[in-house]
């Protein structure tokens, strides 16, 4: 009897020993299948849309853009495919611009999906957070910079108003209302008198969006940049100068292209270099800078994480990571959108539309796209058929 019990225990031990590798293999298989299922549920691609000339001409949709964008959402209006707006334009805070796009295009737009030309300025807050800076451009340039965290910012309209006769043509500009609008009252606290402005040095000028008054802005910027940030004083070291983009031209509602920030930069640089011994020093952001496309990829990864919050449960070592097989850049400007995507390399795939700057029948000779289509709707047809077979 005792011998029988010993044999039974020995048999059970051998069975458990034989079963252990099998259980381990089953566990690995389940884990692998779970990982593969998680991977399949995550989109392997993302899309970056330019705005002007691709989705909009001025404030009017173009190329079937509202209909095209709706295909990226489910029936409840929730985003199902990660995409962003990657534009060199700007002038308004991302939250305000997102609301405008929602109204114009008829889809839900999060501020996190909006990368504007001036978005990289956020990374300079630590350097200039409490320094006096001047913001130039249409829209609300000071409000943009204030929202990014700059605490001592004035628009060039506000700044110029402190200096009598700084713009000799001001009396002839009937379209300019002569009043100081406090876009950010905290930023100009304690600086209500011109005398205080004369002694406070401008540390940096930011061209946030397209200049509205070239003659005034070039004059005032030259005054700031030549004198070390103290207009009307002796020459001094040049303060920092940043441009949100360097677009020579862009497509708006007018049939032919309009001069952009790059043209303004050329004008400012030409004048400055003629009246100053040292050449103008500046930094330009925006497409086609490879940094912009790398940042866009990171934002798209964040969107995937928000759409699929549990997709990395199996692979905790790489939590928050996601690798796209393909990222699509849809743009209308070969020298900006297509060039940038080509320089960024894998996984970017460039699509050129004919609704904006580019209107050629064939591909662009200098910066050829991976695909040329007539409209953004055709571009999305290609993407969804390629990626989802639909």
């Amino acid at each position: 009897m005792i011998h029988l019990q010993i044999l039974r225990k020995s048999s059970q031990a051998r069975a458990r020993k034989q079963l252990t590798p099998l259980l381990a293999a089953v566990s690995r298989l389940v884990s692998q299948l779970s990982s593969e299922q998680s991977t399949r549920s995550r989109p392997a691609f993302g899309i970056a849309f330019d705005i002007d000339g691709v989705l909009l001409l001025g404030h009017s949709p173009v190329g079937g853009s509202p209909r095209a964008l709706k295909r990226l959402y489910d029936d409840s209006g929730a985003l199902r495919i990660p995409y962003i707006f990657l534009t060199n334009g700007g002038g308004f805070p991302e939250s305000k611009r997102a609301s405008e796009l929602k109204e114009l295009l008829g889809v839900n737009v999060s501020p996190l999906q909006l990368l504007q030309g001036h978005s990289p300025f956020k990374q300079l807050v630590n350097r200039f957070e409490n320094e006096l800076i001047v913001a130039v451009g249409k829209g609300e340039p000071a409000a943009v910079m204030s929202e990014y965290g700059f605490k001592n910012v004035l628009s060039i309209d506000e700044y110029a108003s402190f200096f009598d006769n700084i713009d000799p043509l001001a009396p002839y500009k009937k379209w300019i209302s002569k009043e100081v609008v406090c876009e950010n009252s905290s930023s100009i606290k304690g600086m209500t008198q011109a005398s205080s402005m004369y002694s406070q040095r401008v540390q940096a000028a930011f061209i946030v969006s397209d200049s509205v008054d070239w003659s005034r802005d070039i004059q005032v910027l030259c005054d700031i940049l030549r004198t070390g940030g103290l207009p009307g004083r002796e020459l001094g070291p040049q303060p920092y100068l940043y441009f949100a983009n360097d677009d020579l031209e862009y497509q708006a509602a007018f049939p032919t292209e309009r001069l952009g920030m790059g043209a303004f930069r050329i004008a400012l640089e030409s004048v400055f270099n003629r009246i100053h011994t040292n050449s103008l020093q500046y930094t330009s952001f925006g497409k086609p800078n490879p940094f912009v496309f790398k940042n866009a990829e990171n934002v798209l990864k964040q969107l995937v994480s928000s759409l699929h919050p549990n997709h990395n449960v199996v692979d905790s070592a790489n939590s928050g990571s996601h690798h796209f097989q393909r990222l699509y850049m849809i743009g209308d400007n070969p020298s900006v959108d297509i060039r940038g995507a080509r320089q960024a390399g894998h996984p970017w795939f460039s699509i050129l539309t004919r609704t904006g700057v580019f209107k050629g029948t064939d591909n662009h000779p200098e910066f050829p796209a991976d695909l040329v289509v007539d409209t953004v709707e055709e571009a999305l047809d290609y993407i969804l058929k390629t990626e989802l077979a639909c």
Side-chain angles (χ1 to χ4, degrees):
M1 189 68 173
I2 295 175
H3 179 66
L4 182 60
Q5 289 176 347
I6 293 175
L7 286 176
R8 185 181 296 115
K9 289 181 180 179
S10 176
S11 175
Q12 291 173 345
R14 284 196 304 270
R16 282 197 300 269
K17 189 174 182 180
Q18 293 173 353
L19 193 59
T20 298
L22 178 61
L23 290 174
V26 170
S27 177
R28 286 194 299 270
L29 179 59
V30 169
S31 177
Q32 181 180 355
L33 290 173
S34 176
S35 176
E36 289 177 355
Q37 177 62 33
S38 175
T39 300
R40 282 195 297 269
S41 68
R42 308 194 306 267
F45 69 101
I47 308 172
F49 294 94
D50 184 28
I51 297 178
D52 296 317
V54 173
L55 301 174
L56 299 172
L57 289 178
H59 288 84
S60 301
V62 66
S65 54
R67 187 167 52 250
L69 290 177
K70 282 182 172 64
R71 299 172 67 184
L72 304 179
Y73 297 79
D74 61 23
D75 293 338
S76 69
L79 186 66
R80 67 186 183 96
I81 295 174
Y83 80 89
I84 59 171
F85 301 96
L86 186 58
T87 175
N88 278 352
F92 294 96
E94 280 75 8
S95 56
K96 187 170 185 176
R97 185 67 168 135
S99 297
E100 181 186 47
L101 290 173
K102 178 181 179 180
E103 182 178 344
L104 293 174
L105 298 171
V107 294
N108 293 323
V109 177
S110 165
L112 298 177
Q113 290 177 271
L114 196 60
L115 294 181
Q116 303 187 92
H118 47 68
S119 296
F121 289 170
K122 299 175 187 177
Q123 301 184 14
L124 297 170
V125 171
N126 289 338
R127 181 183 294 187
F128 300 107
E129 181 178 6
N130 297 302
E131 305 289 350
L132 176 60
I133 63 171
V134 171
V136 180
K138 66 181 181 181
E140 303 170 1
V144 168
M145 301 301 284
S146 177
E147 190 165 294
Y148 289 165
F150 297 90
K151 297 178 180 177
N152 197 6
V153 53
L154 291 173
S155 70
I156 199 166
D157 296 339
E158 296 172 306
Y159 185 76
S161 71
F162 285 102
F163 298 85
D164 291 336
N165 304 314
I166 195 169
D167 178 13
L169 300 179
Y172 304 97
K173 297 173 181 176
K174 305 301 182 183
W175 46 273
I176 295 181
S177 60
K178 194 173 183 181
E179 63 176 320
V180 178
V181 179
C182 296
E183 294 179 348
N184 179 17
S185 58
S186 64
S187 71
I188 60 174
K189 185 178 180 180
M191 296 188 293
T192 56
Q193 296 182 359
S195 57
S196 65
M197 195 58 54
Y198 294 150
S199 60
Q200 188 159 4
R201 191 182 299 275
V202 176
Q203 297 295 329
F206 291 81
I207 317 303
V208 176
S209 51
D210 291 325
S211 167
V212 175
D213 186 352
W214 280 35
S215 67
R216 194 271 316 267
D217 291 355
I218 289 175
Q219 177 67 74
V220 175
L221 285 171
C222 282
D223 289 330
I224 292 172
L225 298 171
R226 285 199 301 165
T227 62
L230 295 169
R233 303 289 187 88
E234 298 296 325
L235 298 182
Q238 182 197 312
Y240 293 94
L241 176 63
Y242 299 96
F243 291 87
N245 69 72
D246 203 37
D247 287 0
L248 180 63
E249 56 187 10
Y250 66 98
Q251 186 66 55
F254 197 74
T256 55
E257 296 79 21
R258 303 293 85 192
L259 297 177
M261 192 179 296
F264 177 77
R265 191 266 305 164
I266 292 171
L268 173 62
E269 186 175 18
S270 298
V271 173
F272 184 88
N273 291 349
R274 290 292 296 269
I275 64 176
H276 197 265
T277 54
N278 297 325
S279 298
L280 183 68
Q281 302 298 310
Y282 62 90
T283 300
S284 292
F285 292 90
K287 299 173 292 186
N289 193 320
F291 160 80
V292 173
F293 286 83
K294 184 61 179 177
N295 186 46
E297 183 176 354
N298 291 334
V299 172
L300 284 164
K301 288 180 180 180
Q302 294 172 13
L303 277 178
V304 170
S305 296
S306 66
L307 292 172
H308 304 272
N310 299 319
H311 78 271
N312 280 317
V313 171
V314 176
D315 187 7
S316 59
N318 292 317
S319 179
S321 66
H322 178 69
H323 299 286
F324 291 102
Q325 295 179 13
R326 186 71 58 88
L327 291 174
Y328 294 92
M329 175 69 229
I330 306 176
D332 70 303
N333 193 327
S335 64
V336 175
D337 305 310
I338 307 308
R339 180 184 180 187
R342 286 168 57 88
Q343 289 178 342
H346 179 78
W348 287 94
F349 182 97
S350 59
I351 302 180
L352 180 61
T353 69
R354 296 187 175 94
T355 48
V357 172
F358 179 76
K359 301 177 180 67
T361 55
D362 298 320
N363 212 332
H364 191 267
E366 186 176 2
F367 304 111
D370 294 305
L371 177 68
V372 180
V373 295
D374 287 334
T375 67
V376 66
E377 193 167 23
E378 290 184 20
L380 207 54
D381 282 341
Y382 171 84
I383 294 172
L384 296 182
K385 286 178 181 177
T386 300
E387 300 292 342
L388 303 178
C390 66

